[in-house]
């Protein structure tokens, strides 16, 4: 494992291996030009919500939710725990950076799990682990309240995700409860730390991608960085206090037979602030069958792909360097 960016970013100029090719670079447009990403008030009436969430998921594949019922102290304590975590001395994090294939264990890496093979590195460190209660024994023990706070937040994130999926089911005409069990069995946490970068115009925190999941629930602070691709243009997702960002995952796009749109997004860096984001990815169990829901398939809207196991898709996803469209290719009809 190479050294975390956070451990050396202050001491040197931007290494060559972090410079993206010109067409992928963010260039000078670091400040979002407008904020048209939908913000949905979950306190609205159900009829309005179904309509608004469906529209946002079809047009952007990404939206923010406010008035969602998750206690603000759980959100702020979670961010605070991750600030403390990333500030811990290296020796406190060393055991988490050890290479392991055990899916239950925590992994702290710089850039991606594929650091040694990738051509260009990402300007971030990331901590990942499953949120299932059986895995809590492997979670960090420092800072002191990590397990308590992150467990509380992950329960809230899953509840919120399921509530949004129910609204989406109603909107597209998928039966009630479709996502309740197997399809959202694995909740995975990813905590991203993007340190200040000497030249944000050349680097990326994460390049353009779809999340290979059902739904992603993201917690960010007041520092911008997340952008979504809409009609060929990058739009900044403006941080709103106490909001969650919700992303339609690529697998949900597949299940909805393209009625919902997965959001292509990326993260840009900045030269002055540390940025931390916490993502909760709602993932199917590895052996669950993914296919366009029967209720959305019709003679005029034939299934875009055959059924496959989620783990088959993920194997392709990794071997295709995180390209979801290529990963789906073998299953397309
Ligand atoms: C991700 C992601 C966005 C962010 O982790 O997949 O898109 O704002 N993160 O960090
Ligand atoms: Ni993402």
């Amino acid at each position: 494992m190479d050294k975390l960016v956070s451990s050396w970013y202050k001491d040197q100029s931007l290494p060559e291996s972090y410079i993206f090719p010109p067409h992928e670079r963010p260039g000078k447009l670091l400040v979002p030009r407008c904020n048209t990403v939908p913000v949905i008030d979950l306190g609205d009436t159900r009829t309005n919500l179904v309509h608004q969430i469906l529209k946002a998921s079809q047009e952007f594949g990404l939206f923010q939710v406010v008035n969602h019922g998750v206690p603000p102290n759980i959100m702020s304590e979670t961010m605070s725990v991750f600030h403390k975590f990333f500030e811990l001395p290296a020796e406190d994090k060393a055991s988490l950076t050890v290479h392991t294939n055990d899916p239950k264990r925590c992994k702290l890496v710089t850039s991606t799990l594929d650091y040694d093979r990738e051509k260009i590195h990402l300007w971030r460190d990331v901590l990942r682990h499953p949120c299932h209660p059986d895995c809590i024994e492997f979670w960090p023990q420092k800072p002191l309240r990590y397990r308590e706070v992150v467990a509380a937040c992950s329960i809230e994130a899953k509840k919120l995700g399921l509530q949004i999926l129910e609204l989406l089911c109603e909107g597209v005409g998928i039966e009630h409860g479709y996502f309740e069990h197997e399809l959202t069995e694995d909740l995975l946490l990813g905590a991203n730390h993007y340190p200040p970068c000497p030249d944000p115009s050349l680097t990326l925190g994460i390049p353009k991608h779809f999340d290979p999941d059902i739904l992603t629930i993201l917690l960010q602070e007041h520092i911008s960085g997340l952008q979504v691709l809409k009609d060929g243009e990058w739009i900044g997702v403006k941080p709103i206090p106490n909001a969650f960002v919700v992303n339609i995952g690529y697998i949900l796009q597949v299940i909805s037979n393209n009625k919902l749109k997965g959001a292509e997004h990326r993260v840009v860096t900045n030269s002055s602030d540390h940025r931390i984001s916490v993502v909760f990815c709602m993932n199917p169990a590895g052996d669950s069958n993914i296919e366009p829901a029967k209720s959305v398939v019709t003679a005029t809207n034939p299934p875009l792909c055959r059924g496959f196991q989620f783990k088959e898709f993920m194997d392709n996803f990794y071997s295709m360097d995180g390209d979801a469209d290529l990963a789906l290719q073998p299953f397309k009809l």
Side-chain angles (χ1 to χ4, degrees):
M1 221 293 295
D2 254 75
K3 286 215 171 105
L4 300 177
V5 195
S6 52
S7 68
W8 55 260
Y9 77 99
K10 280 198 199 107
D11 310 327
Q12 61 180 86
S13 56
L14 187 66
E16 190 93 13
S17 57
Y18 283 81
I19 301 180
F20 275 80
H23 66 280
E24 284 185 71
R25 290 176 198 167
K28 300 259 176 284
L29 276 179
L30 292 177
V31 184
R33 280 184 292 179
C34 51
N35 186 42
T36 49
V37 171
V39 179
I40 293 169
D41 178 346
L42 285 185
D44 206 340
T45 63
R46 189 168 176 96
T47 319
N48 284 349
L49 281 178
V50 169
H51 172 75
Q52 286 177 40
I53 286 193
L54 183 64
K55 187 160 182 277
S57 306
Q58 289 171 333
E59 290 178 2
F60 285 82
L62 183 149
F63 51 89
Q64 306 208 52
V65 291
V66 294
N67 204 4
H68 41 61
V70 179
N73 68 312
I74 292 190
M75 302 173 75
S76 59
E77 284 174 4
T78 301
M79 287 315 295
S80 152
V81 153
F82 282 106
H83 274 279
K84 288 187 186 135
F85 174 81
F86 286 113
E87 280 162 15
L88 287 172
E91 57 269 28
D92 284 333
K93 293 182 283 201
S95 67
L96 303 170
T97 59
V98 174
H99 179 77
T100 164
N101 284 326
D102 181 350
K104 282 188 158 186
R105 291 203 178 245
C106 264
K107 295 180 185 74
L108 174 62
V109 302
T110 193
S111 188
T112 73
L113 281 172
D114 226 7
Y115 186 94
D116 293 330
R117 217 171 51 88
E118 71 197 9
K119 289 198 197 78
I120 306 168
H121 304 310
L122 317 189
W123 192 265
R124 67 145 181 200
D125 300 324
V126 54
L127 174 72
R128 286 182 202 284
H129 64 63
C131 293
H132 195 277
D134 290 352
C135 302
I136 295 184
E137 61 179 300
F138 302 118
W139 289 10
Q141 282 174 293
K142 286 183 184 176
L144 213 56
R145 293 188 62 218
Y146 186 98
R147 295 181 179 185
E148 172 203 345
V149 168
V150 175
C153 194
S154 62
I155 289 168
E156 293 293 336
K158 180 146 185 187
K159 232 171 37 186
L160 174 62
L162 286 174
Q163 184 192 347
I164 291 167
L165 286 168
E166 274 301 292
L167 294 165
L168 283 169
C169 281
E170 196 170 323
V172 288
I174 294 177
E175 57 272 28
H176 162 78
Y178 191 91
F179 293 98
E180 227 156 73
H181 303 290
E182 245 187 282
L183 289 174
T184 50
E185 193 171 288
D186 283 344
L187 186 68
L188 292 184
L189 174 139
N192 298 295
H193 174 207
Y194 311 94
C197 174
D199 194 342
S201 70
L202 304 176
T203 55
L204 285 166
I206 311 182
K208 178 171 92 166
H209 68 286
F210 289 103
D211 290 348
D213 60 0
I214 299 282
L215 202 68
T216 305
I217 307 287
L218 177 143
L219 181 55
Q220 62 176 347
E221 292 174 301
H222 57 287
I223 316 287
S224 304
L226 175 60
Q227 300 181 333
V228 59
L229 190 61
K230 160 88 171 131
D231 304 328
E233 274 206 81
W234 287 106
I235 300 179
V237 181
K238 184 176 137 197
I240 300 176
N242 294 324
F244 282 100
V245 178
V246 180
N247 256 351
I248 303 296
Y250 195 80
I251 296 296
L252 182 51
Q253 176 173 330
V254 169
I255 291 173
S256 74
N257 209 33
N258 282 342
K259 281 191 163 186
L260 304 173
K261 200 176 116 177
E264 271 189 295
H265 55 286
R266 70 178 185 183
V267 180
V268 299
T269 64
N270 77 80
S271 58
S272 50
D273 296 301
H274 289 267
R275 178 169 182 270
I276 288 177
S277 66
V278 183
V279 299
F280 293 96
C281 299
M282 300 180 84
N283 271 307
D287 59 0
S288 48
N289 183 49
I290 307 295
E291 61 182 359
K294 302 263 186 308
S295 47
V296 296
V297 169
T298 57
T300 51
N301 187 21
L304 66 107
C305 63
R306 66 169 175 86
F308 54 86
Q309 284 199 343
F310 181 61
K311 62 172 179 262
E312 294 179 87
F313 172 85
M314 286 311 288
D315 287 346
N316 293 348
F317 184 79
Y318 288 124
S319 57
M320 297 298 172
D321 290 333
D323 187 323
D325 280 329
L326 285 179
L328 189 69
Q329 203 58 42
F331 314 122
K332 281 199 179 153
L333 294 174

